[in-house]
Amino acid sequence: MYPETLTKLIDCFMMLPGVGSKTAERYALLMIEKDEEEITRFIEALKDIKTKIHECKICGNLCEDEECLVCRDKTRNKKQILVVQSSKDVIALEKTLEYHGVYHVLKGLISQTKGILPEDLNIKSLLDRVDDAEEVIIATNPTLEGETTALYLDKLLSSKNILTTRIAHGIPMGGHLDYADELTLIKALEGRKKM
């Protein structure tokens, strides 16, 4: 139906979550209408994602320098560490403008069924950071894997003299932080409780 080049572009857009064949088709046809400069800017942005973005050496969040913007921010409360599954969760929480501490990105959750063990996650560097912290807020998703990971972290942190809290369940069970609206996230942070 379409030339091979256009079909390849449609297939590429279909790799994106939530993009079906009709939407991918619209995106691809829209790209034909763009001028050379816009296409070049789009291509460069895609290339830069792979060459310039990496993990913060402190918290594991996405960044372009050695440290992410949050870790470099001198106004952040470094005594409060909010532990999340992924950088998407950091972005979701930052949109609330309510949290002023720092983050720690686990890069996944413990999952027996997927073969993800604690040593596969960014936990060791968290334990190295918490000595100066006053509170660690565990903000994993309220799923089986999220709860398992939260309980595991609570057990590890119980030997340290740190308040360990869990975000409140303003987020529905089975839900994900990056899909929650700002108000729900604000309420979840306000209602956190000791593990």
Side-chain angles (χ1 to χ4, degrees), residues 4-59:
E4 184 181 344
T5 303
L6 190 55
T7 302
K8 282 169 44 179
L9 183 57
I10 291 169
D11 290 343
C12 287
F13 280 123
M14 284 178 57
M15 290 188 313
L16 299 172
V19 176
S21 60
K22 289 285 187 195
T23 302
E25 190 177 287
R26 278 196 307 275
Y27 289 167
L29 291 170
L30 177 68
M31 296 308 271
I32 291 172
E33 298 171 13
K34 298 293 179 188
D35 64 35
E36 189 72 28
E37 186 179 311
E38 290 173 307
I39 295 293
T40 301
R41 196 171 84 229
F42 188 78
I43 291 167
E44 290 304 314
L46 287 173
K47 284 182 184 177
D48 287 349
I49 288 289
K50 289 314 244 178
T51 59
K52 294 183 179 179
I53 302 293
H54 57 272
E55 294 171 357
C56 174
K57 69 177 187 175
I58 296 172
C59 71

Side-chain angles (χ1 to χ4, degrees), residues 109-128:
L109 296 172
I110 298 168
S111 174
Q112 295 279 337
T113 57
K114 296 176 185 170
I116 302 171
L117 303 173
E119 52 269 18
D120 298 322
L121 303 179
N122 188 22
I123 294 174
K124 184 186 179 315
S125 63
L126 172 64
L127 297 176
D128 294 340

Side-chain angles (χ1 to χ4, degrees), residues 80 82-84 89 92-94 96 98-99 103 135-142 147 164-173 175-195:
Q80 192 177 53
L82 198 148
V83 180
V84 294
D89 299 331
L93 286 158
E94 281 297 289
T96 70
E98 289 292 317
Y99 180 68
Y103 296 93
E135 180 183 17
V136 173
I137 305 166
I138 301 173
T140 53
N141 293 324
E147 290 299 314
T164 304
T165 58
R166 177 92 166 102
I167 60 169
H169 292 289
I171 297 168
M173 291 302 286
H176 294 272
L177 290 176
D178 54 329
Y179 292 123
D181 64 297
E182 285 85 358
L183 185 58
T184 300
L185 289 171
I186 289 168
K187 292 300 175 197
L189 276 170
E190 288 175 351
R192 69 184 184 273
K193 58 184 172 145
K194 188 171 180 347
M195 291 285 288

